[in-house]
Amino acid sequence: LCKHSHYFADSIIAISDHLYSHMIKISKGKTPVFHIPITVDLTKFPKKNYTIPENYKIFYGGSFGEKDGIEYLIKAFEEVCLKFKNVNLILTGKGFVEGMQKVSQLIDHSIVNEKIIFKGFLSKDEYYKVLNDCDIFCMTRINSKFANAGFPFKLGEFLATGKAVIATDVSDVGKYIRNGENALLIKPSSTEDMAESFLYILENPSLINKLGSEGRKTAELYFDSEKVSNKLYEIFRSL
């Protein structure tokens, strides 16, 4: 379908540099190709003053496939719990049966399984309510072809919360994340990096607000659905 897209498409939109370069080669100048990243509805994430909680909530939401690196996240969380007792890991989402079974086993066999709360697949309203109630967000994709070709929609939402975000350095993530400024950027598939990042934030909780404030600005600058929709509208008008 991709190889023949320039025969039937009026334009092609890619969400990552990898896909943009790939489609440029395929289109051979016959069809315009545009790079438009993910979008975020910022109205779902109202700005509010952040108060350091008594109990911290680390959040991951997604499809729980091998590409998502959940095993590294859970191992890192276990290390964190050796030092901090006032922390929980919140998981939401739904994936294929095989992936979900593996995640269930990881949780069941975890030494801190009572601190891992799996909420399953949530309605949109429930999802955003949980998202806005958490403190640290994780985008943990491993270094795979899938991860490096696409771009994680969840990263834009996590940044929009105005809280701390930890993200693995895959695909175009490094274009938007400045390590230590608007989020923490770590190596993929590294339990050590992930655990150190969690501990760094928990030992310096003011970072949740500091990183979050800059992360929110990043979401507003690059991923605001209003701005991106205007770009799309201009593309449609140009055809």
Side-chain angles (χ1 to χ4, degrees), residues 37-214:
I38 52 142
T39 65
V40 177
D41 182 356
L42 295 175
T43 64
K44 300 294 185 182
F45 305 95
K47 291 183 178 181
K48 57 183 179 180
N49 294 326
Y50 178 72
T51 303
I52 296 174
E54 292 184 6
N55 295 289
Y56 295 92
K57 297 176 183 176
I58 297 172
F59 179 91
Y60 170 84
S63 57
F64 299 98
E66 184 178 352
K67 64 178 175 58
D68 297 305
I70 303 303
E71 60 183 291
Y72 303 101
L73 171 59
I74 291 178
K75 288 177 183 177
F77 179 70
E78 290 173 344
E79 292 186 23
V80 169
C81 289
L82 295 176
K83 188 169 184 179
F84 287 89
K85 307 302 180 184
N86 60 334
V87 59
N88 288 105
L89 176 60
I90 311 297
L91 304 175
T92 72
K94 184 179 181 181
F96 293 111
V97 173
E98 183 178 347
M100 297 307 297
Q101 288 176 340
K102 183 176 180 179
V103 170
S104 294
Q105 291 173 356
L106 287 171
I107 295 173
D108 290 341
H109 296 147
S110 173
I111 58 175
V112 292
N113 56 22
E114 76 283 357
K115 290 181 171 292
I116 302 175
I117 303 169
F118 178 62
K119 290 183 173 289
F121 186 81
L122 303 176
S123 70
K124 185 180 292 186
D125 289 342
E126 289 175 319
Y127 172 75
Y128 287 121
K129 183 179 179 180
V130 171
L131 211 57
N132 282 297
D133 191 43
C134 290
D135 308 285
I136 304 172
F137 297 84
C138 307
M139 195 293 291
T140 55
R141 284 186 176 179
I142 65 174
N143 189 18
S144 66
K145 290 182 178 179
F146 181 96
N148 287 304
F151 190 80
F153 179 83
K154 62 172 67 72
L155 180 61
E157 291 194 323
F158 292 172
L159 292 170
T161 64
K163 312 284 185 58
V165 175
I166 299 171
T168 51
D169 191 6
V170 294
S171 185
D172 296 345
V173 172
K175 286 179 59 177
Y176 304 99
I177 299 303
R178 303 180 303 281
N179 185 40
E181 295 184 29
N182 58 354
L184 297 184
L185 192 64
I186 64 174
K187 292 182 294 186
S189 307
S190 175
T191 298
E192 182 180 0
D193 271 19
M194 204 173 298
E196 287 180 356
S197 295
F198 285 141
L199 292 172
Y200 180 54
I201 293 172
L202 293 171
E203 289 168 354
N204 304 276
S206 61
L207 281 171
I208 296 176
N209 190 55
K210 178 184 175 183
L211 295 173
S213 177
E214 292 302 312

